[in-house]
Amino acid sequence: QKEVEQDPGPLSVPEGAIVSLNCTYSNSAFQYFMWYRQYSRKGPELLMYTYSSGNKEDGRFTAQVDKSSKYISLFIRDSQPSDSATYLCAMSEDNYGQNFVFGPGTRLSVLP
Amino acid sequence: GAGVSQSPSNKVTEKGKDVELRCDPISGHTALYWYRQSLGQGLEFLIYFQGNSAPDKSGLPSDRFSAERTGGSVSTLTIQRTQQEDSAVYLCASSPPTLAGGPRRWFFGEGSRLTVL
């Protein structure tokens, strides 16, 4: 079992849909969680950062952490074609950069 | 430019050749990371530089891989005697100093796509 798992997709949704992207993990000690967006042939860019459990909202994006289930989610409301990208989750026990474990990413396609 | 710059953007080489990949981080960023991204795989940590401290090389997959960072700025990742399994996108990221409890913020370059024939 991989330490961090994501459904690779591709996930195709119509414009305006609510998108749910998820990661599961096996290490119960993870407490720092991030979501990155990566456009084709570009480097990843940070979308959301959360510590421990709970929700965090930023515009159309909401990140949720459920540590009891070892499950994190990224919700995108009113999805746009410009949201089409690969979404990577990353997590760590501490905040040391080299210790973050990345998921393989979910490829999202928002159709106009 | 203002972002992390990597070169070359694409590199095709023959098995057994050595390659050098370059990363120019954002000015003032003390931390620099190299990652490898293979198709269908998550980012794989390779090496981490922080200021003048000894680098964390724990992610390097073999002794064919090495990296250096000169003057606390530009970094070069060298792969000797390349193998086909080295084919991947090599991403560099830099990070400013992090406040206690604050988010770790990486700024990634666009990567160097390596193909070993």
Side-chain angles (χ1 to χ4, degrees), chain A residues 2 32 34 36 38 41-46 49 88 90 95-105, chain B residues 10 33 35 37 40-43 45 48 56 91 98-99 101-106 108-110 113:
Chain A
K2 290 184 180 178
Y32 293 87
M34 295 196 282
Y36 275 82
Q38 185 175 23
R41 294 190 175 266
K42 299 290 186 182
E45 55 180 330
L46 180 65
Y49 171 93
L88 306 164
N95 205 19
Y96 294 106
Q98 68 272 36
N99 294 335
F100 274 87
V101 180
F102 283 80
Chain B
N10 281 286
Y33 305 79
Y35 287 88
Q37 186 174 34
Q41 303 293 317
L43 270 66
F45 166 73
Y48 161 58
D56 179 344
L91 289 161
T98 301
L99 297 175
R104 173 74 54 180
R105 294 188 177 275
W106 286 296
F108 282 88
E110 295 192 351
R113 185 174 299 271

mmCIF file of all heavy atoms in Angstrom, chain A residues 2 32 34 36 38 41-46 49 88 90 95-105, chain B residues 10 33 35 37 40-43 45 48 56 91 98-99 101-106 108-110 113:
data_model
loop_
_atom_site.group_PDB
_atom_site.id
_atom_site.type_symbol
_atom_site.label_atom_id
_atom_site.label_comp_id
_atom_site.label_asym_id
_atom_site.label_seq_id
_atom_site.Cartn_x
_atom_site.Cartn_y
_atom_site.Cartn_z
ATOM 1 N N LYS A 2 0.597 2.174 -0.927
ATOM 2 C CA LYS A 2 1.354 3.402 -0.968
ATOM 3 C C LYS A 2 0.972 4.264 0.221
ATOM 4 O O LYS A 2 -0.134 4.188 0.742
ATOM 5 C CB LYS A 2 1.058 4.146 -2.270
ATOM 6 C CG LYS A 2 1.626 3.472 -3.506
ATOM 7 C CD LYS A 2 1.376 4.309 -4.744
ATOM 8 C CE LYS A 2 1.961 3.623 -5.967
ATOM 9 N NZ LYS A 2 1.689 4.406 -7.189
ATOM 10 N N TYR A 32 0.292 17.918 8.538
ATOM 11 C CA TYR A 32 0.405 19.068 7.639
ATOM 12 C C TYR A 32 -0.029 18.593 6.258
ATOM 13 O O TYR A 32 0.489 17.597 5.748
ATOM 14 C CB TYR A 32 1.844 19.581 7.588
ATOM 15 C CG TYR A 32 2.314 20.171 8.891
ATOM 16 C CD1 TYR A 32 2.867 19.369 9.869
ATOM 17 C CD2 TYR A 32 2.193 21.531 9.135
ATOM 18 C CE1 TYR A 32 3.296 19.905 11.068
ATOM 19 C CE2 TYR A 32 2.623 22.077 10.332
ATOM 20 C CZ TYR A 32 3.171 21.255 11.296
ATOM 21 O OH TYR A 32 3.595 21.787 12.475
ATOM 22 N N MET A 34 -1.252 19.706 2.177
ATOM 23 C CA MET A 34 -1.260 20.727 1.128
ATOM 24 C C MET A 34 -1.900 20.172 -0.132
ATOM 25 O O MET A 34 -1.884 18.965 -0.380
ATOM 26 C CB MET A 34 0.170 21.171 0.813
ATOM 27 C CG MET A 34 0.871 21.879 1.970
ATOM 28 S SD MET A 34 2.341 22.781 1.440
ATOM 29 C CE MET A 34 3.500 21.456 1.280
ATOM 30 N N TYR A 36 -1.724 21.023 -4.293
ATOM 31 C CA TYR A 36 -1.048 21.734 -5.371
ATOM 32 C C TYR A 36 -1.819 21.513 -6.664
ATOM 33 O O TYR A 36 -2.391 20.456 -6.904
ATOM 34 C CB TYR A 36 0.382 21.214 -5.561
ATOM 35 C CG TYR A 36 1.390 21.862 -4.640
ATOM 36 C CD1 TYR A 36 1.551 21.427 -3.337
ATOM 37 C CD2 TYR A 36 2.165 22.924 -5.083
ATOM 38 C CE1 TYR A 36 2.461 22.037 -2.496
ATOM 39 C CE2 TYR A 36 3.091 23.539 -4.258
ATOM 40 C CZ TYR A 36 3.225 23.080 -2.959
ATOM 41 O OH TYR A 36 4.135 23.691 -2.133
ATOM 42 N N GLN A 38 -1.216 21.578 -10.823
ATOM 43 C CA GLN A 38 -0.147 21.523 -11.820
ATOM 44 C C GLN A 38 -0.746 21.507 -13.216
ATOM 45 O O GLN A 38 -1.391 20.525 -13.610
ATOM 46 C CB GLN A 38 0.726 20.284 -11.604
ATOM 47 C CG GLN A 38 1.936 20.225 -12.537
ATOM 48 C CD GLN A 38 2.857 19.056 -12.231
ATOM 49 O OE1 GLN A 38 2.441 18.061 -11.638
ATOM 50 N NE2 GLN A 38 4.122 19.169 -12.622
ATOM 51 N N ARG A 41 2.854 20.563 -18.288
ATOM 52 C CA ARG A 41 4.222 21.007 -18.575
ATOM 53 C C ARG A 41 4.615 22.247 -17.755
ATOM 54 O O ARG A 41 5.439 23.055 -18.184
ATOM 55 C CB ARG A 41 4.418 21.250 -20.070
ATOM 56 C CG ARG A 41 4.301 19.960 -20.855
ATOM 57 C CD ARG A 41 4.725 20.093 -22.300
ATOM 58 N NE ARG A 41 4.705 18.791 -22.942
ATOM 59 C CZ ARG A 41 5.774 17.996 -23.050
ATOM 60 N NH1 ARG A 41 6.934 18.384 -22.580
ATOM 61 N NH2 ARG A 41 5.676 16.826 -23.646
ATOM 62 N N LYS A 42 4.001 22.377 -16.592
ATOM 63 C CA LYS A 42 4.353 23.445 -15.667
ATOM 64 C C LYS A 42 4.689 22.835 -14.309
ATOM 65 O O LYS A 42 4.405 21.663 -14.051
ATOM 66 C CB LYS A 42 3.181 24.425 -15.497
ATOM 67 C CG LYS A 42 2.754 25.130 -16.773
ATOM 68 C CD LYS A 42 3.793 26.120 -17.241
ATOM 69 C CE LYS A 42 3.282 26.928 -18.425
ATOM 70 N NZ LYS A 42 4.325 27.866 -18.918
ATOM 71 N N GLY A 43 5.306 23.639 -13.451
ATOM 72 C CA GLY A 43 5.552 23.172 -12.098
ATOM 73 C C GLY A 43 4.304 23.307 -11.244
ATOM 74 O O GLY A 43 3.415 24.101 -11.528
ATOM 75 N N PRO A 44 4.207 22.518 -10.181
ATOM 76 C CA PRO A 44 3.063 22.624 -9.275
ATOM 77 C C PRO A 44 3.030 23.992 -8.579
ATOM 78 O O PRO A 44 4.077 24.583 -8.317
ATOM 79 C CB PRO A 44 3.314 21.510 -8.249
ATOM 80 C CG PRO A 44 4.293 20.587 -8.893
ATOM 81 C CD PRO A 44 5.132 21.440 -9.773
ATOM 82 N N GLU A 45 1.825 24.461 -8.271
ATOM 83 C CA GLU A 45 1.667 25.702 -7.520
ATOM 84 C C GLU A 45 0.749 25.442 -6.328
ATOM 85 O O GLU A 45 -0.246 24.718 -6.439
ATOM 86 C CB GLU A 45 1.119 26.824 -8.400
ATOM 87 C CG GLU A 45 -0.179 26.500 -9.104
ATOM 88 C CD GLU A 45 -0.693 27.624 -9.972
ATOM 89 O OE1 GLU A 45 -0.430 28.805 -9.655
ATOM 90 O OE2 GLU A 45 -1.381 27.330 -10.962
ATOM 91 N N LEU A 46 1.089 26.029 -5.200
ATOM 92 C CA LEU A 46 0.347 25.781 -3.968
ATOM 93 C C LEU A 46 -1.042 26.402 -4.033
ATOM 94 O O LEU A 46 -1.209 27.569 -4.361
ATOM 95 C CB LEU A 46 1.113 26.363 -2.780
ATOM 96 C CG LEU A 46 0.469 26.179 -1.418
ATOM 97 C CD1 LEU A 46 0.411 24.698 -1.044
ATOM 98 C CD2 LEU A 46 1.241 26.962 -0.359
ATOM 99 N N TYR A 49 -3.254 25.047 2.126
ATOM 100 C CA TYR A 49 -2.410 24.479 3.179
ATOM 101 C C TYR A 49 -3.249 24.389 4.439
ATOM 102 O O TYR A 49 -3.871 25.361 4.833
ATOM 103 C CB TYR A 49 -1.213 25.394 3.402
ATOM 104 C CG TYR A 49 -0.364 25.052 4.592
ATOM 105 C CD1 TYR A 49 0.748 24.222 4.458
ATOM 106 C CD2 TYR A 49 -0.654 25.563 5.863
ATOM 107 C CE1 TYR A 49 1.538 23.909 5.538
ATOM 108 C CE2 TYR A 49 0.137 25.243 6.950
ATOM 109 C CZ TYR A 49 1.226 24.425 6.786
ATOM 110 O OH TYR A 49 2.021 24.112 7.863
ATOM 111 N N LEU A 88 -2.417 17.678 -6.958
ATOM 112 C CA LEU A 88 -1.554 16.840 -6.134
ATOM 113 C C LEU A 88 -1.792 17.153 -4.667
ATOM 114 O O LEU A 88 -1.834 18.323 -4.281
ATOM 115 C CB LEU A 88 -0.078 17.106 -6.445
ATOM 116 C CG LEU A 88 0.367 16.988 -7.896
ATOM 117 C CD1 LEU A 88 1.728 17.647 -8.088
ATOM 118 C CD2 LEU A 88 0.461 15.536 -8.290
ATOM 119 N N ALA A 90 -0.216 16.665 -0.770
ATOM 120 C CA ALA A 90 1.081 16.418 -0.119
ATOM 121 C C ALA A 90 0.862 16.514 1.377
ATOM 122 O O ALA A 90 0.053 17.317 1.853
ATOM 123 C CB ALA A 90 2.119 17.434 -0.578
ATOM 124 N N ASN A 95 6.747 19.978 9.532
ATOM 125 C CA ASN A 95 6.691 20.993 8.487
ATOM 126 C C ASN A 95 8.011 21.087 7.726
ATOM 127 O O ASN A 95 8.294 22.080 7.079
ATOM 128 C CB ASN A 95 6.340 22.348 9.109
ATOM 129 C CG ASN A 95 5.677 23.279 8.114
ATOM 130 O OD1 ASN A 95 5.157 22.846 7.096
ATOM 131 N ND2 ASN A 95 5.717 24.564 8.405
ATOM 132 N N TYR A 96 8.816 20.021 7.835
ATOM 133 C CA TYR A 96 10.082 20.020 7.119
ATOM 134 C C TYR A 96 9.837 19.624 5.676
ATOM 135 O O TYR A 96 9.297 18.573 5.379
ATOM 136 C CB TYR A 96 11.070 19.066 7.787
ATOM 137 C CG TYR A 96 11.481 19.526 9.162
ATOM 138 C CD1 TYR A 96 11.011 18.905 10.302
ATOM 139 C CD2 TYR A 96 12.344 20.615 9.303
ATOM 140 C CE1 TYR A 96 11.384 19.342 11.550
ATOM 141 C CE2 TYR A 96 12.717 21.052 10.556
ATOM 142 C CZ TYR A 96 12.236 20.414 11.683
ATOM 143 O OH TYR A 96 12.609 20.850 12.915
ATOM 144 N N GLY A 97 10.252 20.481 4.769
ATOM 145 C CA GLY A 97 9.918 20.302 3.366
ATOM 146 C C GLY A 97 10.281 18.944 2.808
ATOM 147 O O GLY A 97 9.526 18.355 2.039
ATOM 148 N N GLN A 98 11.442 18.435 3.183
ATOM 149 C CA GLN A 98 11.905 17.186 2.589
ATOM 150 C C GLN A 98 11.098 15.985 3.067
ATOM 151 O O GLN A 98 11.224 14.899 2.520
ATOM 152 C CB GLN A 98 13.400 16.966 2.870
ATOM 153 C CG GLN A 98 13.759 16.697 4.312
ATOM 154 C CD GLN A 98 14.017 17.964 5.107
ATOM 155 O OE1 GLN A 98 13.371 18.985 4.901
ATOM 156 N NE2 GLN A 98 14.978 17.899 6.018
ATOM 157 N N ASN A 99 10.267 16.162 4.068
ATOM 158 C CA ASN A 99 9.494 15.043 4.593
ATOM 159 C C ASN A 99 8.091 14.952 4.014
ATOM 160 O O ASN A 99 7.353 14.015 4.334
ATOM 161 C CB ASN A 99 9.424 15.123 6.117
ATOM 162 C CG ASN A 99 10.782 14.921 6.762
ATOM 163 O OD1 ASN A 99 11.660 14.295 6.176
ATOM 164 N ND2 ASN A 99 10.959 15.467 7.948
ATOM 165 N N PHE A 100 7.718 15.907 3.175
ATOM 166 C CA PHE A 100 6.379 15.844 2.598
ATOM 167 C C PHE A 100 6.305 14.711 1.587
ATOM 168 O O PHE A 100 7.193 14.537 0.754
ATOM 169 C CB PHE A 100 6.012 17.176 1.947
ATOM 170 C CG PHE A 100 5.417 18.155 2.910
ATOM 171 C CD1 PHE A 100 6.216 18.995 3.657
ATOM 172 C CD2 PHE A 100 4.042 18.215 3.085
ATOM 173 C CE1 PHE A 100 5.669 19.896 4.560
ATOM 174 C CE2 PHE A 100 3.482 19.118 3.981
ATOM 175 C CZ PHE A 100 4.296 19.955 4.721
ATOM 176 N N VAL A 101 5.211 13.957 1.669
ATOM 177 C CA VAL A 101 4.951 12.862 0.729
ATOM 178 C C VAL A 101 3.838 13.312 -0.203
ATOM 179 O O VAL A 101 2.786 13.780 0.247
ATOM 180 C CB VAL A 101 4.524 11.586 1.483
ATOM 181 C CG1 VAL A 101 4.248 10.460 0.480
ATOM 182 C CG2 VAL A 101 5.585 11.169 2.481
ATOM 183 N N PHE A 102 4.077 13.171 -1.490
ATOM 184 C CA PHE A 102 3.108 13.605 -2.492
ATOM 185 C C PHE A 102 2.306 12.423 -3.007
ATOM 186 O O PHE A 102 2.836 11.324 -3.192
ATOM 187 C CB PHE A 102 3.821 14.256 -3.680
ATOM 188 C CG PHE A 102 4.286 15.658 -3.432
ATOM 189 C CD1 PHE A 102 5.464 15.890 -2.732
ATOM 190 C CD2 PHE A 102 3.567 16.733 -3.902
ATOM 191 C CE1 PHE A 102 5.906 17.185 -2.505
ATOM 192 C CE2 PHE A 102 4.003 18.031 -3.690
ATOM 193 C CZ PHE A 102 5.167 18.253 -2.982
ATOM 194 N N GLY A 103 1.025 12.676 -3.278
ATOM 195 C CA GLY A 103 0.229 11.711 -4.010
ATOM 196 C C GLY A 103 0.551 11.801 -5.495
ATOM 197 O O GLY A 103 1.186 12.759 -5.937
ATOM 198 N N PRO A 104 0.107 10.824 -6.292
ATOM 199 C CA PRO A 104 0.421 10.811 -7.716
ATOM 200 C C PRO A 104 -0.360 11.826 -8.526
ATOM 201 O O PRO A 104 -0.015 12.099 -9.676
ATOM 202 C CB PRO A 104 0.057 9.387 -8.153
ATOM 203 C CG PRO A 104 -0.963 8.943 -7.164
ATOM 204 C CD PRO A 104 -0.611 9.610 -5.868
ATOM 205 N N GLY A 105 -1.409 12.400 -7.933
ATOM 206 C CA GLY A 105 -2.171 13.425 -8.641
ATOM 207 C C GLY A 105 -3.427 12.889 -9.299
ATOM 208 O O GLY A 105 -3.478 11.728 -9.718
ATOM 209 N N ASN B 10 14.068 20.534 -21.897
ATOM 210 C CA ASN B 10 14.006 19.167 -22.425
ATOM 211 C C ASN B 10 15.417 18.672 -22.706
ATOM 212 O O ASN B 10 16.254 19.428 -23.198
ATOM 213 C CB ASN B 10 13.208 19.112 -23.734
ATOM 214 C CG ASN B 10 11.718 19.128 -23.490
ATOM 215 O OD1 ASN B 10 11.141 18.145 -23.069
ATOM 216 N ND2 ASN B 10 11.108 20.265 -23.734
ATOM 217 N N TYR B 33 15.043 22.557 -3.274
ATOM 218 C CA TYR B 33 14.729 21.133 -3.325
ATOM 219 C C TYR B 33 14.777 20.657 -4.780
ATOM 220 O O TYR B 33 14.412 21.383 -5.689
ATOM 221 C CB TYR B 33 13.302 20.858 -2.832
ATOM 222 C CG TYR B 33 12.970 21.368 -1.457
ATOM 223 C CD1 TYR B 33 12.678 22.712 -1.248
ATOM 224 C CD2 TYR B 33 12.934 20.494 -0.373
ATOM 225 C CE1 TYR B 33 12.358 23.178 0.017
ATOM 226 C CE2 TYR B 33 12.602 20.957 0.896
ATOM 227 C CZ TYR B 33 12.320 22.296 1.078
ATOM 228 O OH TYR B 33 11.997 22.755 2.340
ATOM 229 N N TYR B 35 13.123 17.442 -6.971
ATOM 230 C CA TYR B 35 12.166 16.343 -6.996
ATOM 231 C C TYR B 35 12.201 15.690 -8.372
ATOM 232 O O TYR B 35 12.584 16.303 -9.362
ATOM 233 C CB TYR B 35 10.734 16.836 -6.745
ATOM 234 C CG TYR B 35 10.453 17.248 -5.331
ATOM 235 C CD1 TYR B 35 10.695 18.551 -4.909
ATOM 236 C CD2 TYR B 35 9.932 16.337 -4.417
ATOM 237 C CE1 TYR B 35 10.432 18.932 -3.599
ATOM 238 C CE2 TYR B 35 9.665 16.710 -3.109
ATOM 239 C CZ TYR B 35 9.917 18.009 -2.712
ATOM 240 O OH TYR B 35 9.651 18.381 -1.418
ATOM 241 N N GLN B 37 9.574 13.584 -10.976
ATOM 242 C CA GLN B 37 8.168 13.250 -11.225
ATOM 243 C C GLN B 37 8.097 12.326 -12.432
ATOM 244 O O GLN B 37 8.396 12.721 -13.553
ATOM 245 C CB GLN B 37 7.348 14.520 -11.481
ATOM 246 C CG GLN B 37 5.855 14.281 -11.608
ATOM 247 C CD GLN B 37 5.076 15.576 -11.704
ATOM 248 O OE1 GLN B 37 5.532 16.565 -12.262
ATOM 249 N NE2 GLN B 37 3.870 15.587 -11.136
ATOM 250 N N GLY B 40 2.486 9.005 -13.609
ATOM 251 C CA GLY B 40 1.657 8.241 -12.689
ATOM 252 C C GLY B 40 2.191 8.132 -11.278
ATOM 253 O O GLY B 40 1.583 7.473 -10.437
ATOM 254 N N GLN B 41 3.310 8.792 -11.038
ATOM 255 C CA GLN B 41 3.907 8.736 -9.702
ATOM 256 C C GLN B 41 3.855 10.120 -9.059
ATOM 257 O O GLN B 41 3.828 11.137 -9.739
ATOM 258 C CB GLN B 41 5.377 8.294 -9.782
ATOM 259 C CG GLN B 41 5.583 6.969 -10.471
ATOM 260 C CD GLN B 41 4.996 5.820 -9.694
ATOM 261 O OE1 GLN B 41 5.136 5.735 -8.481
ATOM 262 N NE2 GLN B 41 4.316 4.920 -10.385
ATOM 263 N N GLY B 42 3.844 10.149 -7.750
ATOM 264 C CA GLY B 42 3.929 11.418 -7.049
ATOM 265 C C GLY B 42 5.320 11.990 -7.157
ATOM 266 O O GLY B 42 6.246 11.343 -7.630
ATOM 267 N N LEU B 43 5.455 13.211 -6.713
ATOM 268 C CA LEU B 43 6.784 13.809 -6.681
ATOM 269 C C LEU B 43 7.657 13.043 -5.704
ATOM 270 O O LEU B 43 7.290 12.790 -4.566
ATOM 271 C CB LEU B 43 6.708 15.273 -6.237
ATOM 272 C CG LEU B 43 6.531 16.316 -7.335
ATOM 273 C CD1 LEU B 43 5.190 16.170 -8.016
ATOM 274 C CD2 LEU B 43 6.706 17.712 -6.769
ATOM 275 N N PHE B 45 11.025 13.043 -3.624
ATOM 276 C CA PHE B 45 12.065 13.920 -3.085
ATOM 277 C C PHE B 45 13.446 13.357 -3.397
ATOM 278 O O PHE B 45 13.697 12.165 -3.227
ATOM 279 C CB PHE B 45 11.880 14.053 -1.572
ATOM 280 C CG PHE B 45 13.065 14.639 -0.859
ATOM 281 C CD1 PHE B 45 13.363 15.986 -0.976
ATOM 282 C CD2 PHE B 45 13.886 13.842 -0.085
ATOM 283 C CE1 PHE B 45 14.457 16.526 -0.326
ATOM 284 C CE2 PHE B 45 14.988 14.370 0.575
ATOM 285 C CZ PHE B 45 15.265 15.713 0.449
ATOM 286 N N TYR B 48 17.811 18.180 -0.686
ATOM 287 C CA TYR B 48 17.379 19.445 -0.082
ATOM 288 C C TYR B 48 18.592 20.217 0.401
ATOM 289 O O TYR B 48 19.451 19.672 1.081
ATOM 290 C CB TYR B 48 16.432 19.116 1.072
ATOM 291 C CG TYR B 48 16.211 20.192 2.114
ATOM 292 C CD1 TYR B 48 15.715 21.436 1.759
ATOM 293 C CD2 TYR B 48 16.464 19.939 3.457
ATOM 294 C CE1 TYR B 48 15.481 22.408 2.723
ATOM 295 C CE2 TYR B 48 16.224 20.897 4.434
ATOM 296 C CZ TYR B 48 15.733 22.129 4.057
ATOM 297 O OH TYR B 48 15.480 23.079 5.005
ATOM 298 N N ASP B 56 20.576 17.539 2.629
ATOM 299 C CA ASP B 56 19.902 16.276 2.945
ATOM 300 C C ASP B 56 19.809 15.488 1.643
ATOM 301 O O ASP B 56 18.993 15.815 0.788
ATOM 302 C CB ASP B 56 18.517 16.564 3.518
ATOM 303 C CG ASP B 56 17.735 15.294 3.853
ATOM 304 O OD1 ASP B 56 18.112 14.205 3.377
ATOM 305 O OD2 ASP B 56 16.738 15.398 4.577
ATOM 306 N N LEU B 91 12.077 18.364 -11.162
ATOM 307 C CA LEU B 91 11.555 19.653 -10.713
ATOM 308 C C LEU B 91 12.420 20.218 -9.600
ATOM 309 O O LEU B 91 12.854 19.492 -8.706
ATOM 310 C CB LEU B 91 10.125 19.490 -10.187
ATOM 311 C CG LEU B 91 9.049 19.202 -11.231
ATOM 312 C CD1 LEU B 91 7.811 18.625 -10.573
ATOM 313 C CD2 LEU B 91 8.695 20.470 -11.989
ATOM 314 N N THR B 98 10.600 29.930 6.670
ATOM 315 C CA THR B 98 9.238 29.660 7.141
ATOM 316 C C THR B 98 9.085 30.122 8.581
ATOM 317 O O THR B 98 9.899 29.774 9.432
ATOM 318 C CB THR B 98 8.936 28.154 7.050
ATOM 319 O OG1 THR B 98 9.074 27.746 5.691
ATOM 320 C CG2 THR B 98 7.535 27.846 7.528
ATOM 321 N N LEU B 99 8.025 30.879 8.848
ATOM 322 C CA LEU B 99 7.738 31.283 10.216
ATOM 323 C C LEU B 99 7.296 30.061 11.010
ATOM 324 O O LEU B 99 6.697 29.139 10.460
ATOM 325 C CB LEU B 99 6.632 32.338 10.233
ATOM 326 C CG LEU B 99 6.952 33.667 9.525
ATOM 327 C CD1 LEU B 99 5.730 34.563 9.518
ATOM 328 C CD2 LEU B 99 8.134 34.350 10.190
ATOM 329 N N GLY B 101 5.352 27.422 12.660
ATOM 330 C CA GLY B 101 3.954 27.043 12.528
ATOM 331 C C GLY B 101 3.323 27.491 11.238
ATOM 332 O O GLY B 101 2.163 27.178 10.959
ATOM 333 N N GLY B 102 4.060 28.236 10.449
ATOM 334 C CA GLY B 102 3.504 28.732 9.198
ATOM 335 C C GLY B 102 3.615 27.716 8.090
ATOM 336 O O GLY B 102 4.290 26.703 8.228
ATOM 337 N N PRO B 103 2.941 27.959 6.985
ATOM 338 C CA PRO B 103 2.956 27.011 5.883
ATOM 339 C C PRO B 103 4.306 26.959 5.196
ATOM 340 O O PRO B 103 4.990 27.962 5.062
ATOM 341 C CB PRO B 103 1.884 27.537 4.935
ATOM 342 C CG PRO B 103 1.836 29.005 5.215
ATOM 343 C CD PRO B 103 2.140 29.155 6.661
ATOM 344 N N ARG B 104 4.659 25.771 4.764
ATOM 345 C CA ARG B 104 5.838 25.585 3.948
ATOM 346 C C ARG B 104 5.430 25.933 2.533
ATOM 347 O O ARG B 104 4.562 25.293 1.971
ATOM 348 C CB ARG B 104 6.292 24.126 4.029
ATOM 349 C CG ARG B 104 7.412 23.766 3.110
ATOM 350 C CD ARG B 104 8.729 24.318 3.556
ATOM 351 N NE ARG B 104 9.052 23.944 4.924
ATOM 352 C CZ ARG B 104 10.174 24.311 5.537
ATOM 353 N NH1 ARG B 104 11.048 25.054 4.898
ATOM 354 N NH2 ARG B 104 10.411 23.954 6.775
ATOM 355 N N ARG B 105 6.028 26.930 1.953
ATOM 356 C CA ARG B 105 5.633 27.360 0.613
ATOM 357 C C ARG B 105 6.758 27.096 -0.375
ATOM 358 O O ARG B 105 7.824 27.681 -0.272
ATOM 359 C CB ARG B 105 5.313 28.856 0.601
ATOM 360 C CG ARG B 105 4.090 29.200 1.423
ATOM 361 C CD ARG B 105 3.668 30.642 1.262
ATOM 362 N NE ARG B 105 2.457 30.921 2.016
ATOM 363 C CZ ARG B 105 1.227 30.696 1.571
ATOM 364 N NH1 ARG B 105 1.073 30.196 0.378
ATOM 365 N NH2 ARG B 105 0.170 30.965 2.312
ATOM 366 N N TRP B 106 6.471 26.175 -1.275
ATOM 367 C CA TRP B 106 7.421 25.916 -2.346
ATOM 368 C C TRP B 106 7.020 26.689 -3.597
ATOM 369 O O TRP B 106 5.852 26.820 -3.903
ATOM 370 C CB TRP B 106 7.421 24.433 -2.728
ATOM 371 C CG TRP B 106 8.091 23.523 -1.769
ATOM 372 C CD1 TRP B 106 9.399 23.511 -1.433
ATOM 373 C CD2 TRP B 106 7.485 22.446 -1.069
ATOM 374 N NE1 TRP B 106 9.632 22.500 -0.558
ATOM 375 C CE2 TRP B 106 8.488 21.815 -0.325
ATOM 376 C CE3 TRP B 106 6.178 21.945 -1.014
ATOM 377 C CZ2 TRP B 106 8.242 20.722 0.501
ATOM 378 C CZ3 TRP B 106 5.930 20.850 -0.218
ATOM 379 C CH2 TRP B 106 6.953 20.258 0.535
ATOM 380 N N PHE B 108 7.821 26.191 -7.474
ATOM 381 C CA PHE B 108 8.438 25.228 -8.376
ATOM 382 C C PHE B 108 8.805 25.864 -9.709
ATOM 383 O O PHE B 108 8.118 26.766 -10.200
ATOM 384 C CB PHE B 108 7.465 24.077 -8.667
ATOM 385 C CG PHE B 108 7.356 23.065 -7.566
ATOM 386 C CD1 PHE B 108 6.453 23.237 -6.533
ATOM 387 C CD2 PHE B 108 8.156 21.921 -7.576
ATOM 388 C CE1 PHE B 108 6.344 22.299 -5.522
ATOM 389 C CE2 PHE B 108 8.050 20.984 -6.573
ATOM 390 C CZ PHE B 108 7.143 21.173 -5.535
ATOM 391 N N GLY B 109 9.861 25.357 -10.308
ATOM 392 C CA GLY B 109 10.170 25.666 -11.690
ATOM 393 C C GLY B 109 9.316 24.807 -12.607
ATOM 394 O O GLY B 109 8.520 23.986 -12.143
ATOM 395 N N GLU B 110 9.504 24.986 -13.903
ATOM 396 C CA GLU B 110 8.700 24.238 -14.870
ATOM 397 C C GLU B 110 9.266 22.858 -15.143
ATOM 398 O O GLU B 110 8.642 22.057 -15.822
ATOM 399 C CB GLU B 110 8.579 25.033 -16.171
ATOM 400 C CG GLU B 110 7.797 26.336 -15.998
ATOM 401 C CD GLU B 110 7.415 26.974 -17.308
ATOM 402 O OE1 GLU B 110 7.882 26.520 -18.363
ATOM 403 O OE2 GLU B 110 6.649 27.950 -17.269
ATOM 404 N N ARG B 113 12.619 18.008 -18.509
ATOM 405 C CA ARG B 113 12.116 16.704 -18.939
ATOM 406 C C ARG B 113 13.271 15.909 -19.533
ATOM 407 O O ARG B 113 13.809 16.297 -20.576
ATOM 408 C CB ARG B 113 11.000 16.886 -19.968
ATOM 409 C CG ARG B 113 10.311 15.608 -20.401
ATOM 410 C CD ARG B 113 9.121 15.925 -21.313
ATOM 411 N NE ARG B 113 8.142 16.731 -20.622
ATOM 412 C CZ ARG B 113 7.133 16.258 -19.909
ATOM 413 N NH1 ARG B 113 6.964 14.943 -19.804
ATOM 414 N NH2 ARG B 113 6.277 17.067 -19.318
#
